[in-house]
Amino acid sequence: MKEIGSGVVSAVKRAGKDALTLTVALDAGGERRLTVPASLYERIGSPGVGTVLSDTALSELSLEAEYLYACRSAIRILEYGDNNARTLRDKLARKGISREAAQAAVEKMVSLGYIREGEQARRLAVGYARRNLWGERKIVSALTAKGYSRADAETAVREAESEGEIDFSEVRRSLVKRCRARGMDDEKIRATLWRYGFGHED
C-alpha cells in the first residue's frame, strides 16, 4: 500500500457490531474512508472528529482496513462457489487489493474452513473421470493447472480411487467403447487414450 501520510478525522460512524468507519481528511489532499475493527479503533485511543492521526497510526488503520475489505470480498466471492487459494487470491488482486492483504485474507479463509482444497480437488477429480473419461495423468495435470498442488492433486485421485469413486479400468473401457462407436481404428484409439491421460501400461 502506498504511503498516505497523516490526516485529520472528519467523521466516525458505526459499521456493524464490531467495526467503525473513519473518514480522514488527508494532509496531502483528498480523504480516505477506512472501515476498521472496533478493537483497533479503541487500541489507538478512539480518535474522534478533529483528531490528528500520525502517519504511523494512519498507516496501521489503512492496512487493517484493506485486510478487512479483503476478507469481506473473499467471503462474497466464496458465496458464489468453490475457489482454491490461488483462484481466490487472483480474484482479490483483480479488485485492486494488495498481494499482502489478499494473501492474509486467503489464509484466514483457509483457517476458517471456507476453503478445503483437498475436498475440492477430490470432487473435481471424480467429475473429470466420470464425465470427461480422463485418466489419472490428465486429471492431475488439470488440477495443478487450476492451482492445486501436485501433492493434493495426486492425493485426491488416490483417495477417490481407493474409496471406489473412480474406477480407471471402467473409465478406460467406456472411453474405448466411445471411440469404437465413432469408428476409430486401433491406432486412433491408442492416441486418444494417451491424450485422455492413460499411459501405455493401462
Side-chain angles (χ1 to χ4, degrees), residues 93-145:
R94 286 198 291 272
K95 286 180 171 287
I97 294 169
S98 70
R99 183 175 57 188
E100 294 79 7
Q103 180 61 35
V106 168
E107 290 172 2
K108 182 66 174 179
M109 297 303 107
V110 171
S111 72
L112 292 172
Y114 296 160
I115 297 177
R116 297 184 176 93
E117 292 201 340
E119 293 177 17
Q120 293 171 4
R122 180 168 167 173
R123 203 159 48 240
L124 286 169
V126 172
Y128 288 148
R130 292 180 179 175
R131 290 191 304 273
N132 300 7
L133 302 182
W134 288 354
E136 180 176 355
R137 178 168 47 81
K138 189 170 178 71
I139 291 173
V140 169
S141 178
L143 290 173
T144 55

mmCIF file of all heavy atoms in Angstrom, residues 93-145:
data_model
loop_
_atom_site.group_PDB
_atom_site.id
_atom_site.type_symbol
_atom_site.label_atom_id
_atom_site.label_comp_id
_atom_site.label_asym_id
_atom_site.label_seq_id
_atom_site.Cartn_x
_atom_site.Cartn_y
_atom_site.Cartn_z
ATOM 1 N N ALA A 93 -6.911 -9.844 -6.132
ATOM 2 C CA ALA A 93 -5.942 -8.936 -6.765
ATOM 3 C C ALA A 93 -6.610 -8.129 -7.871
ATOM 4 O O ALA A 93 -6.306 -6.946 -8.058
ATOM 5 C CB ALA A 93 -4.763 -9.729 -7.322
ATOM 6 N N ARG A 94 -7.534 -8.758 -8.598
ATOM 7 C CA ARG A 94 -8.235 -8.044 -9.674
ATOM 8 C C ARG A 94 -9.137 -6.939 -9.132
ATOM 9 O O ARG A 94 -9.534 -6.039 -9.863
ATOM 10 C CB ARG A 94 -9.038 -9.024 -10.532
ATOM 11 C CG ARG A 94 -8.174 -9.876 -11.447
ATOM 12 C CD ARG A 94 -8.967 -10.495 -12.567
ATOM 13 N NE ARG A 94 -9.873 -11.510 -12.106
ATOM 14 C CZ ARG A 94 -9.560 -12.794 -11.957
ATOM 15 N NH1 ARG A 94 -8.334 -13.212 -12.219
ATOM 16 N NH2 ARG A 94 -10.465 -13.668 -11.537
ATOM 17 N N LYS A 95 -9.466 -7.015 -7.843
ATOM 18 C CA LYS A 95 -10.239 -5.959 -7.208
ATOM 19 C C LYS A 95 -9.349 -4.806 -6.730
ATOM 20 O O LYS A 95 -9.827 -3.869 -6.106
ATOM 21 C CB LYS A 95 -11.018 -6.527 -6.010
ATOM 22 C CG LYS A 95 -12.222 -7.377 -6.395
ATOM 23 C CD LYS A 95 -12.913 -7.882 -5.146
ATOM 24 C CE LYS A 95 -14.237 -8.534 -5.482
ATOM 25 N NZ LYS A 95 -15.273 -7.547 -5.860
ATOM 26 N N GLY A 96 -8.052 -4.929 -6.982
ATOM 27 C CA GLY A 96 -7.121 -3.880 -6.579
ATOM 28 C C GLY A 96 -6.557 -4.064 -5.185
ATOM 29 O O GLY A 96 -5.896 -3.172 -4.652
ATOM 30 N N ILE A 97 -6.798 -5.208 -4.587
ATOM 31 C CA ILE A 97 -6.291 -5.485 -3.235
ATOM 32 C C ILE A 97 -4.822 -5.896 -3.336
ATOM 33 O O ILE A 97 -4.442 -6.658 -4.229
ATOM 34 C CB ILE A 97 -7.136 -6.594 -2.575
ATOM 35 C CG1 ILE A 97 -8.566 -6.092 -2.351
ATOM 36 C CG2 ILE A 97 -6.524 -7.069 -1.261
ATOM 37 C CD1 ILE A 97 -9.557 -7.165 -1.951
ATOM 38 N N SER A 98 -4.020 -5.390 -2.426
ATOM 39 C CA SER A 98 -2.590 -5.689 -2.472
ATOM 40 C C SER A 98 -2.340 -7.176 -2.271
ATOM 41 O O SER A 98 -3.153 -7.899 -1.693
ATOM 42 C CB SER A 98 -1.844 -4.905 -1.387
ATOM 43 O OG SER A 98 -2.157 -5.416 -0.096
ATOM 44 N N ARG A 99 -1.189 -7.621 -2.755
ATOM 45 C CA ARG A 99 -0.821 -9.031 -2.640
ATOM 46 C C ARG A 99 -0.778 -9.475 -1.181
ATOM 47 O O ARG A 99 -1.228 -10.564 -0.846
ATOM 48 C CB ARG A 99 0.547 -9.261 -3.299
ATOM 49 C CG ARG A 99 1.001 -10.707 -3.303
ATOM 50 C CD ARG A 99 2.285 -10.857 -4.083
ATOM 51 N NE ARG A 99 3.342 -10.009 -3.549
ATOM 52 C CZ ARG A 99 4.525 -9.832 -4.127
ATOM 53 N NH1 ARG A 99 4.793 -10.403 -5.277
ATOM 54 N NH2 ARG A 99 5.443 -9.060 -3.558
ATOM 55 N N GLU A 100 -0.263 -8.614 -0.305
ATOM 56 C CA GLU A 100 -0.147 -8.965 1.108
ATOM 57 C C GLU A 100 -1.513 -9.135 1.757
ATOM 58 O O GLU A 100 -1.760 -10.106 2.484
ATOM 59 C CB GLU A 100 0.655 -7.902 1.857
ATOM 60 C CG GLU A 100 2.117 -7.795 1.448
ATOM 61 C CD GLU A 100 2.330 -7.025 0.147
ATOM 62 O OE1 GLU A 100 1.334 -6.456 -0.373
ATOM 63 O OE2 GLU A 100 3.476 -6.988 -0.345
ATOM 64 N N ALA A 101 -2.421 -8.179 1.493
ATOM 65 C CA ALA A 101 -3.757 -8.266 2.082
ATOM 66 C C ALA A 101 -4.526 -9.443 1.512
ATOM 67 O O ALA A 101 -5.255 -10.139 2.232
ATOM 68 C CB ALA A 101 -4.521 -6.968 1.837
ATOM 69 N N ALA A 102 -4.367 -9.678 0.207
ATOM 70 C CA ALA A 102 -5.056 -10.811 -0.429
ATOM 71 C C ALA A 102 -4.577 -12.128 0.169
ATOM 72 O O ALA A 102 -5.389 -13.012 0.487
ATOM 73 C CB ALA A 102 -4.818 -10.789 -1.935
ATOM 74 N N GLN A 103 -3.264 -12.258 0.339
ATOM 75 C CA GLN A 103 -2.718 -13.489 0.906
ATOM 76 C C GLN A 103 -3.202 -13.694 2.344
ATOM 77 O O GLN A 103 -3.567 -14.803 2.737
ATOM 78 C CB GLN A 103 -1.179 -13.449 0.876
ATOM 79 C CG GLN A 103 -0.508 -14.688 1.458
ATOM 80 C CD GLN A 103 -0.869 -15.958 0.723
ATOM 81 O OE1 GLN A 103 -1.054 -15.952 -0.492
ATOM 82 N NE2 GLN A 103 -0.980 -17.066 1.448
ATOM 83 N N ALA A 104 -3.221 -12.620 3.132
ATOM 84 C CA ALA A 104 -3.685 -12.717 4.522
ATOM 85 C C ALA A 104 -5.152 -13.122 4.569
ATOM 86 O O ALA A 104 -5.562 -13.933 5.412
ATOM 87 C CB ALA A 104 -3.476 -11.392 5.237
ATOM 88 N N ALA A 105 -5.957 -12.572 3.663
ATOM 89 C CA ALA A 105 -7.380 -12.918 3.626
ATOM 90 C C ALA A 105 -7.579 -14.370 3.231
ATOM 91 O O ALA A 105 -8.421 -15.078 3.803
ATOM 92 C CB ALA A 105 -8.116 -12.000 2.646
ATOM 93 N N VAL A 106 -6.803 -14.840 2.265
ATOM 94 C CA VAL A 106 -6.897 -16.240 1.833
ATOM 95 C C VAL A 106 -6.538 -17.165 2.991
ATOM 96 O O VAL A 106 -7.222 -18.170 3.246
ATOM 97 C CB VAL A 106 -5.973 -16.493 0.619
ATOM 98 C CG1 VAL A 106 -5.833 -17.995 0.364
ATOM 99 C CG2 VAL A 106 -6.534 -15.807 -0.623
ATOM 100 N N GLU A 107 -5.474 -16.837 3.703
ATOM 101 C CA GLU A 107 -5.068 -17.656 4.848
ATOM 102 C C GLU A 107 -6.162 -17.687 5.910
ATOM 103 O O GLU A 107 -6.398 -18.721 6.554
ATOM 104 C CB GLU A 107 -3.762 -17.132 5.434
ATOM 105 C CG GLU A 107 -2.572 -17.366 4.519
ATOM 106 C CD GLU A 107 -1.294 -16.687 5.007
ATOM 107 O OE1 GLU A 107 -1.331 -16.050 6.087
ATOM 108 O OE2 GLU A 107 -0.267 -16.785 4.305
ATOM 109 N N LYS A 108 -6.851 -16.556 6.086
ATOM 110 C CA LYS A 108 -7.959 -16.505 7.048
ATOM 111 C C LYS A 108 -9.103 -17.404 6.594
ATOM 112 O O LYS A 108 -9.691 -18.133 7.406
ATOM 113 C CB LYS A 108 -8.446 -15.057 7.183
ATOM 114 C CG LYS A 108 -9.569 -14.870 8.210
ATOM 115 C CD LYS A 108 -9.084 -15.145 9.623
ATOM 116 C CE LYS A 108 -10.137 -14.816 10.651
ATOM 117 N NZ LYS A 108 -9.674 -15.097 12.029
ATOM 118 N N MET A 109 -9.417 -17.387 5.316
ATOM 119 C CA MET A 109 -10.496 -18.230 4.794
ATOM 120 C C MET A 109 -10.157 -19.714 4.959
ATOM 121 O O MET A 109 -11.021 -20.525 5.288
ATOM 122 C CB MET A 109 -10.749 -17.928 3.316
ATOM 123 C CG MET A 109 -11.233 -16.512 3.012
ATOM 124 S SD MET A 109 -12.750 -16.019 3.873
ATOM 125 C CE MET A 109 -12.074 -14.858 5.106
ATOM 126 N N VAL A 110 -8.885 -20.054 4.760
ATOM 127 C CA VAL A 110 -8.453 -21.448 4.953
ATOM 128 C C VAL A 110 -8.595 -21.839 6.416
ATOM 129 O O VAL A 110 -9.112 -22.912 6.741
ATOM 130 C CB VAL A 110 -6.998 -21.636 4.474
ATOM 131 C CG1 VAL A 110 -6.484 -23.023 4.872
ATOM 132 C CG2 VAL A 110 -6.902 -21.457 2.959
ATOM 133 N N SER A 111 -8.163 -20.950 7.326
ATOM 134 C CA SER A 111 -8.217 -21.261 8.761
ATOM 135 C C SER A 111 -9.656 -21.403 9.250
ATOM 136 O O SER A 111 -9.932 -22.163 10.180
ATOM 137 C CB SER A 111 -7.487 -20.184 9.572
ATOM 138 O OG SER A 111 -8.225 -18.973 9.587
ATOM 139 N N LEU A 112 -10.575 -20.679 8.609
ATOM 140 C CA LEU A 112 -11.989 -20.767 8.984
ATOM 141 C C LEU A 112 -12.686 -21.973 8.354
ATOM 142 O O LEU A 112 -13.848 -22.249 8.660
ATOM 143 C CB LEU A 112 -12.722 -19.484 8.565
ATOM 144 C CG LEU A 112 -12.349 -18.209 9.324
ATOM 145 C CD1 LEU A 112 -13.011 -16.998 8.681
ATOM 146 C CD2 LEU A 112 -12.753 -18.324 10.797
ATOM 147 N N GLY A 113 -11.979 -22.656 7.467
ATOM 148 C CA GLY A 113 -12.572 -23.830 6.822
ATOM 149 C C GLY A 113 -13.418 -23.500 5.609
ATOM 150 O O GLY A 113 -14.125 -24.359 5.087
ATOM 151 N N TYR A 114 -13.326 -22.260 5.121
ATOM 152 C CA TYR A 114 -14.108 -21.871 3.945
ATOM 153 C C TYR A 114 -13.483 -22.369 2.653
ATOM 154 O O TYR A 114 -14.150 -22.431 1.624
ATOM 155 C CB TYR A 114 -14.265 -20.347 3.874
ATOM 156 C CG TYR A 114 -15.046 -19.749 5.013
ATOM 157 C CD1 TYR A 114 -14.943 -18.396 5.327
ATOM 158 C CD2 TYR A 114 -15.914 -20.525 5.793
ATOM 159 C CE1 TYR A 114 -15.664 -17.832 6.372
ATOM 160 C CE2 TYR A 114 -16.633 -19.975 6.834
ATOM 161 C CZ TYR A 114 -16.503 -18.629 7.125
ATOM 162 O OH TYR A 114 -17.223 -18.076 8.161
ATOM 163 N N ILE A 115 -12.194 -22.675 2.704
ATOM 164 C CA ILE A 115 -11.501 -23.262 1.559
ATOM 165 C C ILE A 115 -10.960 -24.615 2.006
ATOM 166 O O ILE A 115 -10.140 -24.685 2.921
ATOM 167 C CB ILE A 115 -10.334 -22.374 1.075
ATOM 168 C CG1 ILE A 115 -10.858 -21.023 0.583
ATOM 169 C CG2 ILE A 115 -9.561 -23.076 -0.039
ATOM 170 C CD1 ILE A 115 -9.762 -20.065 0.166
ATOM 171 N N ARG A 116 -11.446 -25.674 1.368
ATOM 172 C CA ARG A 116 -10.983 -27.035 1.664
ATOM 173 C C ARG A 116 -10.454 -27.635 0.364
ATOM 174 O O ARG A 116 -11.185 -28.295 -0.368
ATOM 175 C CB ARG A 116 -12.122 -27.878 2.238
ATOM 176 C CG ARG A 116 -12.660 -27.377 3.571
ATOM 177 C CD ARG A 116 -13.728 -28.338 4.091
ATOM 178 N NE ARG A 116 -14.216 -27.958 5.401
ATOM 179 C CZ ARG A 116 -15.283 -27.186 5.614
ATOM 180 N NH1 ARG A 116 -15.957 -26.694 4.572
ATOM 181 N NH2 ARG A 116 -15.673 -26.887 6.835
ATOM 182 N N GLU A 117 -9.207 -27.368 0.096
ATOM 183 C CA GLU A 117 -8.649 -27.724 -1.203
ATOM 184 C C GLU A 117 -8.646 -29.227 -1.455
ATOM 185 O O GLU A 117 -8.865 -29.663 -2.581
ATOM 186 C CB GLU A 117 -7.247 -27.147 -1.354
ATOM 187 C CG GLU A 117 -7.240 -25.628 -1.437
ATOM 188 C CD GLU A 117 -5.984 -25.062 -2.075
ATOM 189 O OE1 GLU A 117 -4.964 -25.778 -2.111
ATOM 190 O OE2 GLU A 117 -6.037 -23.917 -2.540
ATOM 191 N N GLY A 118 -8.410 -30.006 -0.416
ATOM 192 C CA GLY A 118 -8.411 -31.453 -0.597
ATOM 193 C C GLY A 118 -9.760 -31.965 -1.061
ATOM 194 O O GLY A 118 -9.854 -32.769 -2.003
ATOM 195 N N GLU A 119 -10.826 -31.502 -0.424
ATOM 196 C CA GLU A 119 -12.183 -31.911 -0.800
ATOM 197 C C GLU A 119 -12.528 -31.419 -2.196
ATOM 198 O O GLU A 119 -13.141 -32.131 -2.998
ATOM 199 C CB GLU A 119 -13.198 -31.371 0.208
ATOM 200 C CG GLU A 119 -13.088 -31.978 1.590
ATOM 201 C CD GLU A 119 -14.078 -31.352 2.564
ATOM 202 O OE1 GLU A 119 -15.037 -30.701 2.103
ATOM 203 O OE2 GLU A 119 -13.884 -31.513 3.786
ATOM 204 N N GLN A 120 -12.154 -30.174 -2.487
ATOM 205 C CA GLN A 120 -12.444 -29.610 -3.802
ATOM 206 C C GLN A 120 -11.752 -30.409 -4.902
ATOM 207 O O GLN A 120 -12.367 -30.739 -5.927
ATOM 208 C CB GLN A 120 -11.985 -28.155 -3.860
ATOM 209 C CG GLN A 120 -12.757 -27.211 -2.971
ATOM 210 C CD GLN A 120 -12.112 -25.829 -2.920
ATOM 211 O OE1 GLN A 120 -11.124 -25.559 -3.607
ATOM 212 N NE2 GLN A 120 -12.667 -24.955 -2.099
ATOM 213 N N ALA A 121 -10.476 -30.711 -4.689
ATOM 214 C CA ALA A 121 -9.708 -31.431 -5.698
ATOM 215 C C ALA A 121 -10.279 -32.823 -5.920
ATOM 216 O O ALA A 121 -10.376 -33.290 -7.065
ATOM 217 C CB ALA A 121 -8.239 -31.525 -5.261
ATOM 218 N N ARG A 122 -10.686 -33.470 -4.853
ATOM 219 C CA ARG A 122 -11.258 -34.820 -4.989
ATOM 220 C C ARG A 122 -12.571 -34.779 -5.765
ATOM 221 O O ARG A 122 -12.824 -35.613 -6.623
ATOM 222 C CB ARG A 122 -11.463 -35.423 -3.599
ATOM 223 C CG ARG A 122 -12.056 -36.822 -3.614
ATOM 224 C CD ARG A 122 -11.948 -37.454 -2.258
ATOM 225 N NE ARG A 122 -12.755 -38.653 -2.128
ATOM 226 C CZ ARG A 122 -12.727 -39.450 -1.075
ATOM 227 N NH1 ARG A 122 -11.909 -39.175 -0.067
ATOM 228 N NH2 ARG A 122 -13.488 -40.522 -1.014
ATOM 229 N N ARG A 123 -13.409 -33.787 -5.465
ATOM 230 C CA ARG A 123 -14.691 -33.649 -6.155
ATOM 231 C C ARG A 123 -14.466 -33.418 -7.653
ATOM 232 O O ARG A 123 -15.155 -33.990 -8.498
ATOM 233 C CB ARG A 123 -15.466 -32.496 -5.524
ATOM 234 C CG ARG A 123 -16.950 -32.548 -5.715
ATOM 235 C CD ARG A 123 -17.686 -31.704 -4.681
ATOM 236 N NE ARG A 123 -17.154 -30.368 -4.508
ATOM 237 C CZ ARG A 123 -16.672 -29.895 -3.372
ATOM 238 N NH1 ARG A 123 -16.635 -30.649 -2.282
ATOM 239 N NH2 ARG A 123 -16.240 -28.658 -3.297
ATOM 240 N N LEU A 124 -13.512 -32.560 -7.969
ATOM 241 C CA LEU A 124 -13.197 -32.297 -9.370
ATOM 242 C C LEU A 124 -12.649 -33.548 -10.061
ATOM 243 O O LEU A 124 -12.998 -33.838 -11.215
ATOM 244 C CB LEU A 124 -12.187 -31.156 -9.478
ATOM 245 C CG LEU A 124 -12.720 -29.756 -9.203
ATOM 246 C CD1 LEU A 124 -11.556 -28.771 -9.086
ATOM 247 C CD2 LEU A 124 -13.669 -29.314 -10.303
ATOM 248 N N ALA A 125 -11.781 -34.269 -9.357
ATOM 249 C CA ALA A 125 -11.188 -35.473 -9.932
ATOM 250 C C ALA A 125 -12.261 -36.488 -10.315
ATOM 251 O O ALA A 125 -12.224 -37.071 -11.406
ATOM 252 C CB ALA A 125 -10.199 -36.093 -8.940
ATOM 253 N N VAL A 126 -13.216 -36.689 -9.432
ATOM 254 C CA VAL A 126 -14.305 -37.636 -9.709
ATOM 255 C C VAL A 126 -15.107 -37.174 -10.923
ATOM 256 O O VAL A 126 -15.447 -37.972 -11.800
ATOM 257 C CB VAL A 126 -15.224 -37.782 -8.471
ATOM 258 C CG1 VAL A 126 -16.460 -38.607 -8.817
ATOM 259 C CG2 VAL A 126 -14.456 -38.431 -7.320
ATOM 260 N N GLY A 127 -15.387 -35.884 -10.994
ATOM 261 C CA GLY A 127 -16.132 -35.353 -12.135
ATOM 262 C C GLY A 127 -15.379 -35.532 -13.442
ATOM 263 O O GLY A 127 -15.957 -35.900 -14.467
ATOM 264 N N TYR A 128 -14.073 -35.258 -13.431
ATOM 265 C CA TYR A 128 -13.267 -35.414 -14.635
ATOM 266 C C TYR A 128 -13.272 -36.877 -15.121
ATOM 267 O O TYR A 128 -13.322 -37.138 -16.321
ATOM 268 C CB TYR A 128 -11.820 -34.985 -14.373
ATOM 269 C CG TYR A 128 -11.621 -33.496 -14.211
ATOM 270 C CD1 TYR A 128 -10.618 -33.003 -13.369
ATOM 271 C CD2 TYR A 128 -12.412 -32.573 -14.891
ATOM 272 C CE1 TYR A 128 -10.415 -31.630 -13.220
ATOM 273 C CE2 TYR A 128 -12.215 -31.205 -14.738
ATOM 274 C CZ TYR A 128 -11.215 -30.740 -13.895
ATOM 275 O OH TYR A 128 -11.009 -29.386 -13.747
ATOM 276 N N ALA A 129 -13.193 -37.788 -14.171
ATOM 277 C CA ALA A 129 -13.172 -39.204 -14.545
ATOM 278 C C ALA A 129 -14.525 -39.658 -15.093
ATOM 279 O O ALA A 129 -14.605 -40.310 -16.140
ATOM 280 C CB ALA A 129 -12.778 -40.057 -13.342
ATOM 281 N N ARG A 130 -15.586 -39.293 -14.398
ATOM 282 C CA ARG A 130 -16.907 -39.787 -14.787
ATOM 283 C C ARG A 130 -17.467 -39.086 -16.023
ATOM 284 O O ARG A 130 -18.073 -39.742 -16.878
ATOM 285 C CB ARG A 130 -17.880 -39.625 -13.608
ATOM 286 C CG ARG A 130 -17.562 -40.532 -12.436
ATOM 287 C CD ARG A 130 -18.557 -40.318 -11.305
ATOM 288 N NE ARG A 130 -18.288 -41.195 -10.177
ATOM 289 C CZ ARG A 130 -18.957 -41.142 -9.025
ATOM 290 N NH1 ARG A 130 -19.928 -40.251 -8.865
ATOM 291 N NH2 ARG A 130 -18.660 -41.973 -8.033
ATOM 292 N N ARG A 131 -17.316 -37.774 -16.081
ATOM 293 C CA ARG A 131 -17.925 -37.031 -17.190
ATOM 294 C C ARG A 131 -17.007 -36.956 -18.410
ATOM 295 O O ARG A 131 -17.460 -37.096 -19.544
ATOM 296 C CB ARG A 131 -18.282 -35.610 -16.753
ATOM 297 C CG ARG A 131 -19.431 -35.537 -15.767
ATOM 298 C CD ARG A 131 -19.899 -34.090 -15.587
ATOM 299 N NE ARG A 131 -18.816 -33.205 -15.183
ATOM 300 C CZ ARG A 131 -18.442 -32.999 -13.920
ATOM 301 N NH1 ARG A 131 -19.079 -33.630 -12.935
ATOM 302 N NH2 ARG A 131 -17.452 -32.174 -13.624
ATOM 303 N N ASN A 132 -15.723 -36.700 -18.160
ATOM 304 C CA ASN A 132 -14.789 -36.484 -19.271
ATOM 305 C C ASN A 132 -14.063 -37.750 -19.704
ATOM 306 O O ASN A 132 -13.395 -37.764 -20.729
ATOM 307 C CB ASN A 132 -13.752 -35.432 -18.893
ATOM 308 C CG ASN A 132 -14.366 -34.084 -18.566
ATOM 309 O OD1 ASN A 132 -15.576 -33.939 -18.491
ATOM 310 N ND2 ASN A 132 -13.524 -33.087 -18.370
ATOM 311 N N LEU A 133 -14.151 -38.792 -18.872
ATOM 312 C CA LEU A 133 -13.449 -40.066 -19.124
ATOM 313 C C LEU A 133 -11.938 -39.863 -19.190
ATOM 314 O O LEU A 133 -11.252 -40.441 -20.031
ATOM 315 C CB LEU A 133 -13.967 -40.730 -20.418
ATOM 316 C CG LEU A 133 -15.466 -41.030 -20.461
ATOM 317 C CD1 LEU A 133 -15.837 -41.728 -21.773
ATOM 318 C CD2 LEU A 133 -15.895 -41.888 -19.271
ATOM 319 N N TRP A 134 -11.421 -39.046 -18.278
ATOM 320 C CA TRP A 134 -9.990 -38.790 -18.237
ATOM 321 C C TRP A 134 -9.289 -39.802 -17.344
ATOM 322 O O TRP A 134 -9.843 -40.274 -16.345
ATOM 323 C CB TRP A 134 -9.716 -37.396 -17.682
ATOM 324 C CG TRP A 134 -10.068 -36.280 -18.614
ATOM 325 C CD1 TRP A 134 -10.484 -36.388 -19.916
ATOM 326 C CD2 TRP A 134 -10.026 -34.885 -18.324
ATOM 327 N NE1 TRP A 134 -10.704 -35.137 -20.445
ATOM 328 C CE2 TRP A 134 -10.437 -34.194 -19.492
ATOM 329 C CE3 TRP A 134 -9.694 -34.154 -17.189
ATOM 330 C CZ2 TRP A 134 -10.511 -32.815 -19.556
ATOM 331 C CZ3 TRP A 134 -9.768 -32.770 -17.248
ATOM 332 C CH2 TRP A 134 -10.175 -32.107 -18.420
ATOM 333 N N GLY A 135 -8.028 -40.072 -17.695
ATOM 334 C CA GLY A 135 -7.179 -40.919 -16.880
ATOM 335 C C GLY A 135 -6.470 -40.104 -15.810
ATOM 336 O O GLY A 135 -6.573 -38.866 -15.765
ATOM 337 N N GLU A 136 -5.729 -40.808 -14.966
ATOM 338 C CA GLU A 136 -5.076 -40.147 -13.828
ATOM 339 C C GLU A 136 -4.135 -39.033 -14.257
ATOM 340 O O GLU A 136 -4.133 -37.946 -13.674
ATOM 341 C CB GLU A 136 -4.314 -41.186 -12.998
ATOM 342 C CG GLU A 136 -3.603 -40.579 -11.807
ATOM 343 C CD GLU A 136 -2.913 -41.619 -10.927
ATOM 344 O OE1 GLU A 136 -3.076 -42.829 -11.198
ATOM 345 O OE2 GLU A 136 -2.224 -41.208 -9.976
ATOM 346 N N ARG A 137 -3.335 -39.282 -15.268
ATOM 347 C CA ARG A 137 -2.340 -38.283 -15.678
ATOM 348 C C ARG A 137 -3.002 -36.968 -16.088
ATOM 349 O O ARG A 137 -2.565 -35.890 -15.677
ATOM 350 C CB ARG A 137 -1.490 -38.855 -16.829
ATOM 351 C CG ARG A 137 -0.456 -37.909 -17.376
ATOM 352 C CD ARG A 137 0.532 -38.651 -18.293
ATOM 353 N NE ARG A 137 -0.132 -39.506 -19.248
ATOM 354 C CZ ARG A 137 -0.673 -39.081 -20.399
ATOM 355 N NH1 ARG A 137 -0.617 -37.789 -20.718
ATOM 356 N NH2 ARG A 137 -1.242 -39.926 -21.234
ATOM 357 N N LYS A 138 -4.073 -37.035 -16.880
ATOM 358 C CA LYS A 138 -4.739 -35.816 -17.333
ATOM 359 C C LYS A 138 -5.480 -35.120 -16.186
ATOM 360 O O LYS A 138 -5.517 -33.889 -16.110
ATOM 361 C CB LYS A 138 -5.718 -36.129 -18.464
ATOM 362 C CG LYS A 138 -6.284 -34.874 -19.136
ATOM 363 C CD LYS A 138 -7.045 -35.216 -20.390
ATOM 364 C CE LYS A 138 -7.653 -33.973 -21.045
ATOM 365 N NZ LYS A 138 -6.615 -33.129 -21.648
ATOM 366 N N ILE A 139 -6.043 -35.911 -15.264
ATOM 367 C CA ILE A 139 -6.738 -35.317 -14.120
ATOM 368 C C ILE A 139 -5.765 -34.537 -13.239
ATOM 369 O O ILE A 139 -6.034 -33.397 -12.846
ATOM 370 C CB ILE A 139 -7.462 -36.400 -13.298
ATOM 371 C CG1 ILE A 139 -8.650 -36.963 -14.096
ATOM 372 C CG2 ILE A 139 -7.952 -35.838 -11.961
ATOM 373 C CD1 ILE A 139 -9.321 -38.155 -13.437
ATOM 374 N N VAL A 140 -4.633 -35.146 -12.942
ATOM 375 C CA VAL A 140 -3.632 -34.476 -12.102
ATOM 376 C C VAL A 140 -3.147 -33.203 -12.777
ATOM 377 O O VAL A 140 -3.002 -32.149 -12.143
ATOM 378 C CB VAL A 140 -2.452 -35.426 -11.792
ATOM 379 C CG1 VAL A 140 -1.298 -34.658 -11.147
ATOM 380 C CG2 VAL A 140 -2.914 -36.555 -10.864
ATOM 381 N N SER A 141 -2.925 -33.272 -14.083
ATOM 382 C CA SER A 141 -2.481 -32.096 -14.826
ATOM 383 C C SER A 141 -3.525 -30.976 -14.786
ATOM 384 O O SER A 141 -3.186 -29.803 -14.596
ATOM 385 C CB SER A 141 -2.204 -32.498 -16.281
ATOM 386 O OG SER A 141 -1.811 -31.376 -17.037
ATOM 387 N N ALA A 142 -4.800 -31.347 -14.939
ATOM 388 C CA ALA A 142 -5.877 -30.345 -14.918
ATOM 389 C C ALA A 142 -5.991 -29.701 -13.544
ATOM 390 O O ALA A 142 -6.212 -28.489 -13.429
ATOM 391 C CB ALA A 142 -7.196 -31.000 -15.312
ATOM 392 N N LEU A 143 -5.853 -30.491 -12.502
ATOM 393 C CA LEU A 143 -5.958 -29.951 -11.144
ATOM 394 C C LEU A 143 -4.808 -29.002 -10.826
ATOM 395 O O LEU A 143 -5.011 -27.948 -10.216
ATOM 396 C CB LEU A 143 -6.000 -31.091 -10.124
ATOM 397 C CG LEU A 143 -7.281 -31.938 -10.114
ATOM 398 C CD1 LEU A 143 -7.130 -33.128 -9.174
ATOM 399 C CD2 LEU A 143 -8.484 -31.092 -9.700
ATOM 400 N N THR A 144 -3.612 -29.348 -11.236
ATOM 401 C CA THR A 144 -2.476 -28.469 -10.975
ATOM 402 C C THR A 144 -2.613 -27.175 -11.789
ATOM 403 O O THR A 144 -2.227 -26.099 -11.322
ATOM 404 C CB THR A 144 -1.133 -29.156 -11.277
ATOM 405 O OG1 THR A 144 -1.130 -29.653 -12.627
ATOM 406 C CG2 THR A 144 -0.888 -30.319 -10.334
ATOM 407 N N ALA A 145 -3.193 -27.273 -12.988
ATOM 408 C CA ALA A 145 -3.419 -26.076 -13.793
ATOM 409 C C ALA A 145 -4.419 -25.147 -13.113
ATOM 410 O O ALA A 145 -4.383 -23.927 -13.308
ATOM 411 C CB ALA A 145 -3.919 -26.461 -15.180
#
